Amino acid sequence: MIKKLKLFFKEMFFIFNVKKSVKIGLYGPPNGGKTTLANKICEDWIGEEMGVASSVPHETREVKIKESVVIKSRGRELKFNLVDTPGISTKIDYEDFLSHKLDVKEAKQRAKEATKGVIDAIKWLDNMDCVLVVLDSTKNPYSQVNITIIGNLAARDIPVLIVANKIDLKRSDIKKIEAAFPQYPVIGISATKGNNIEDFYEEVFKLVKRR
Amino acid sequence: MITLQYIAHSEFGPLDTASKIRKILRSVKEDKILVIEGKMSPEDEAELITCTMEQIDKRFKGIEIASLDPQKKRNQDFLDVTKRAIANYLLGKNEGLTIIGPASIVKEIKRDPNKIELLTKMNNKRKK
């Protein structure tokens, strides 16, 4: 009986909360594919891109919000505000940008903006209702940045879905990500090619329901 | 020459977040690699990243950090975790290890579940 009541209130809470506009954040280290995923979601459901994605690290240097994104799956609808955040890192050296054909002035400016972007991304953690942690599945998941992000979300009791991106690449290893974070759901996708994107949307519904 | 500095939990643990971060960044900016007994909390780590970003300039490029947490082994039941927590509390210990170094010297800290490998840069070029 208590279980049924609990479930009933949870369902009601879910319905009312969804109407209040849920904030779903995209977090992760640089070059994991956060903006590519944000663009994929926006292209699929709004028909427009959210931001510029590139192979140059720290392309996204400020928090961007796309309001009222509505996704549909199995006859259900979910409305949320999508928040794309700058990649979090512990070091930024302007010289790293020089190899990406930026001149010294541009590289220094990008580094300056990138440091501010990291600070903003961390500040925004408190504003999130749910978070998609976007990781490059070809890279070692045991980085301290990944652990710090997920640890902070756990400390704030924010539901997390780990998105193992770039599964279309040969070196992709979802199992390693699952082994690194066994207490969290992991979904493998390719944001660029759209692989497994339907299952991803289904997981987003489950994520919002967990809050 | 690389300088390693060990900080015991008895010295680091009682400090508040701001003092911990001041201590870390002061040493890292002196090109020291810190080996700290114990693990920082996720909130302290986030604050460390924030302060690091605020202090990045021509000379200071940031930090490399990794920590090991032996308490987070899988298949541990509640009783094991509780026993360990009580023992650590009584002995004033904090299991785990944190390594922090300047990004200008430490190229990468490779971390697997049970080991840390620290790779340093061979030629440490500095600009004035």
Side-chain angles (χ1 to χ4, degrees), chain A:
Chain A
M1 183 66 185
I2 292 169
K3 264 188 183 175
K4 277 184 181 172
L5 273 171
K6 225 175 152 182
L7 192 70
F8 171 76
F9 283 117
K10 206 176 171 183
E11 291 285 331
M12 292 305 287
F13 184 72
F14 174 67
I15 291 162
F16 287 118
N17 264 335
V18 167
K19 284 183 179 169
K20 251 175 43 186
S21 278
V22 181
K23 268 198 257 359
I24 300 182
L26 290 157
Y27 272 84
N31 285 100
K34 294 178 291 301
T35 304
T36 308
L37 178 58
N39 284 341
K40 176 70 184 153
I41 296 168
C42 291
E43 277 167 15
D44 282 353
W45 303 101
I46 307 175
E48 60 184 50
E49 285 200 341
M50 186 166 177
V52 179
S54 86
S55 59
V56 186
H58 299 283
E59 184 64 48
T60 306
R61 299 184 294 284
E62 52 187 45
V63 174
K64 288 179 181 167
I65 307 166
K66 185 64 84 180
E67 290 186 340
S68 303
V69 178
V70 181
I71 66 170
K72 292 171 187 171
S73 178
R74 295 181 189 171
R76 292 161 305 163
E77 230 175 59
L78 176 64
K79 187 177 172 184
F80 57 87
N81 294 337
L82 188 62
V83 186
D84 187 19
T85 66
I88 295 178
S89 70
T90 58
K91 59 180 178 183
I92 292 170
D93 186 348
Y94 79 90
E95 287 189 347
D96 293 340
F97 301 129
L98 298 176
S99 59
H100 293 274
K101 293 177 182 169
L102 270 74
D103 64 36
V104 174
K105 197 181 168 188
E106 285 171 331
K108 282 183 177 174
Q109 183 61 24
R110 177 177 282 250
K112 196 178 170 186
E113 289 169 5
T115 57
K116 195 181 166 296
V118 174
I119 295 167
D120 286 345
I122 292 171
K123 274 186 193 161
W124 267 79
L125 276 169
D126 288 320
N127 298 324
M128 299 301 166
D129 296 309
C130 303
V131 166
L132 303 167
V133 176
V134 185
L135 304 181
D136 180 342
S137 63
T138 67
K139 291 191 175 160
N140 181 7
Y142 294 99
S143 87
Q144 198 61 37
V145 164
N146 296 347
I147 293 161
T148 302
I149 293 170
I150 291 173
N152 272 276
L153 294 167
R156 290 165 173 80
D157 211 16
I158 297 171
V160 171
L161 170 63
I162 298 177
V163 182
N165 192 21
K166 309 189 187 182
I167 58 164
D168 55 308
L169 301 180
K170 265 189 181 174
R171 282 178 291 122
S172 165
D173 189 350
I174 304 176
K175 283 189 178 153
K176 203 169 182 184
I177 295 180
E178 286 171 340
F181 305 105
Q183 61 277 55
Y184 296 97
V186 177
I187 179 91
I189 65 155
S190 165
T192 311
K193 300 201 170 162
N195 299 4
N196 211 24
I197 209 74
E198 291 306 321
D199 289 346
F200 162 74
Y201 289 130
E202 189 53 38
E203 288 297 324
V204 173
F205 272 88
K206 288 182 194 166
L207 172 75
V208 174
K209 212 167 181 178
R210 279 196 282 128
R211 80 198 174 95

Side-chain angles (χ1 to χ4, degrees), chain B residues 51-103:
Chain B
C51 293
T52 300
M53 289 298 123
E54 285 168 349
Q55 295 187 27
I56 281 181
D57 56 22
K58 257 179 161 180
R59 190 186 169 276
F60 180 57
K61 309 292 182 192
I63 58 169
E64 276 289 345
I65 175 170
S67 61
L68 274 181
D69 186 2
Q71 292 175 50
K72 280 205 171 160
K73 279 179 187 162
R74 265 168 273 157
N75 303 325
Q76 271 190 326
D77 60 26
F78 177 74
L79 196 65
D80 280 342
V81 174
T82 311
K83 274 197 287 191
R84 197 183 279 264
I86 293 169
N88 286 340
Y89 177 77
L90 293 173
L91 297 170
K93 279 174 73 180
N94 182 356
E95 286 190 31
L97 195 71
T98 304
I99 298 180
I100 306 172

Side-chain angles (χ1 to χ4, degrees), chain B residues 94-113:
Chain B
N94 182 356
E95 286 190 31
L97 195 71
T98 304
I99 298 180
I100 306 172
S104 54
I105 292 175
V106 182
K107 187 181 170 194
E108 191 185 354
I109 304 178
K110 283 187 180 174
R111 182 188 183 280
D112 272 323

